[in-house]
Amino acid sequence: MNDNGIVLESAHKIRQIARDALRGNWFKVAVATLIFYVLFDVVSMFLNQTFSTYRYIHFMGTVRITKVNYGAAIYALLVRGAFSYGLCLYFLNYMRTRVTDTALVFEGFSHFLRAFLVNLIAAIKVFLWSLLFVIPGILAALRYSMSFFVMADHPELTAGECIEESKNIMSGNKMKYFILQLSFIGWAILATAPTMILNVMKPVNTSMLQSFLLSVLCGIPYIFLNAYKINASTAFYELATGRLAAKKASDLFVRGFHTGNNGEDRQAPMDDMFH
């Protein structure tokens, strides 16, 4: 990155940084995304099956039936912020120390209100921008994408300040981050393949329980894909904030910290971060 906080590394290079950081620890790190998958995605799928209602919408002389999954929507509103914060804290800690502290995934519930507000305010802003058109909504989502990393890095900031700092970090970096996320599309298609095959080959007489269990199993590839994507986003944040700095194209290092048990920050040895 340069002095203005603009990320100069390509999406390919950032993904390489993420892979190098995960080398030898894929399964350990995937435990964090497995926890998120079970406690967020799987629970949401269950709530979709259990708590939903149907609405009949009259449109141009026809009646359309729409399923409203209110259980999952309420659950996501309540816990998404806490889990998002926990994952960002976990991956920041891992990127800087190579320590897989799974307990950090739940740390967001210790800061529940602030995490909830960060998620709520960002979601409202993205929604309002989306009312103008699709592109403003996408830009807003990119603008506030670093909010939970900022919250994990700066516990002294309010929810609004975290969102504002994310806006500052992403100034000039939104297209680069969009390209980084878009570069995972091939892996996303592969991860979706089991679900697509299931939808084609699933017997008509499959019970609700069987369908639910099959859907859960088909989501397993996303556990590893999400570990890869979140670690790449973490590397992007580190580049944008100057903690991960390029001395030369093949020699990257991190200036980071590790939070000790007493809550105080101390320097972590980072000389061997990337080999």
Side-chain angles (χ1 to χ4, degrees):
M1 59 167 284
N2 62 16
D3 292 337
N4 295 322
I6 303 299
V7 176
L8 301 179
E9 286 72 20
S10 65
H12 173 76
K13 186 64 179 180
I14 297 172
R15 293 199 316 273
Q16 180 184 332
I17 294 170
R19 290 194 305 272
D20 288 345
L22 290 168
R23 186 176 294 122
N25 287 317
W26 274 94
F27 284 94
K28 289 182 179 179
V29 173
V31 170
T33 49
L34 171 62
I35 292 171
F36 178 81
Y37 177 66
V38 172
L39 296 182
F40 187 82
D41 292 318
V42 174
V43 172
S44 294
M45 283 189 283
F46 174 77
L47 292 173
N48 280 341
Q49 296 281 356
T50 309
F51 299 98
S52 60
T53 187
Y54 291 91
R55 291 286 182 267
Y56 297 89
I57 301 175
H58 296 271
F59 180 73
M60 297 182 66
T62 62
V63 178
R64 298 183 181 182
I65 302 176
T66 302
K67 185 179 181 181
V68 180
N69 299 312
Y70 63 89
I74 294 172
Y75 179 73
L77 176 64
L78 291 175
V79 304
R80 185 187 295 276
F83 276 124
S84 297
Y85 170 80
L87 281 175
C88 289
L89 182 62
Y90 174 91
F91 278 91
L92 274 178
N93 182 68
Y94 176 75
M95 178 66 73
R96 296 171 182 177
T97 69
R98 291 300 189 273
V99 175
T100 53
D101 187 356
T102 308
L104 292 177
V105 177
F106 301 98
E107 187 64 23
F109 291 93
S110 298
H111 307 274
F112 180 82
L113 181 58
R114 194 156 60 101
F116 173 80
L117 289 174
V118 169
N119 179 67
L120 180 63
I121 295 171
I124 291 173
K125 286 177 176 287
V126 171
F127 172 75
L128 292 176
W129 279 108
S130 299
L131 294 177
L132 297 178
F133 199 59
V134 175
I135 293 177
I138 294 174
L139 291 175
L142 294 169
R143 188 179 302 127
Y144 309 126
S145 59
M146 297 290 119
S147 297
F148 285 106
F149 286 112
V150 173
M151 179 181 171
D153 229 1
H154 301 281
E156 75 282 0
L157 297 182
T158 65
E161 289 170 339
C162 290
I163 292 172
E164 189 63 26
E165 182 59 24
S166 174
K167 179 180 176 181
N168 294 334
I169 291 171
M170 294 304 290
S171 178
N173 286 322
K174 289 186 286 293
M175 181 56 68
K176 179 73 72 173
Y177 189 67
F178 177 75
I179 293 172
L180 174 63
Q181 297 302 307
L182 198 62
S183 69
F184 287 99
I185 191 169
W187 290 110
I189 292 172
L190 287 176
T192 308
T195 301
M196 293 189 294
I197 294 172
L198 173 64
N199 291 334
V200 172
M201 301 183 64
K202 185 172 63 176
V204 178
N205 60 346
T206 303
S207 68
M208 184 178 295
L209 177 59
Q210 290 173 327
S211 179
F212 172 74
L213 293 176
L214 287 171
S215 297
V216 170
L217 290 175
C218 288
I220 290 177
Y222 274 98
I223 295 170
F224 295 94
L225 176 58
N226 284 338
Y228 186 14
K229 289 182 65 178
I230 299 173
N231 211 45
S233 295
T234 305
F236 188 94
Y237 171 80
E238 297 287 72
L239 287 164
T241 56
R243 291 185 181 277
L244 181 61
K247 295 170 67 177
K248 53 186 179 181
S250 60
D251 184 13
L252 295 169
F253 68 97
V254 168
R255 301 188 297 273
F257 65 87
H258 173 62
T259 302
N261 294 330
N262 60 359
E264 297 179 354
D265 295 341
R266 64 175 184 271
Q267 278 305 118
M270 295 295 162
D271 296 336
D272 60 346
M273 281 292 283
F274 300 102
H275 291 272

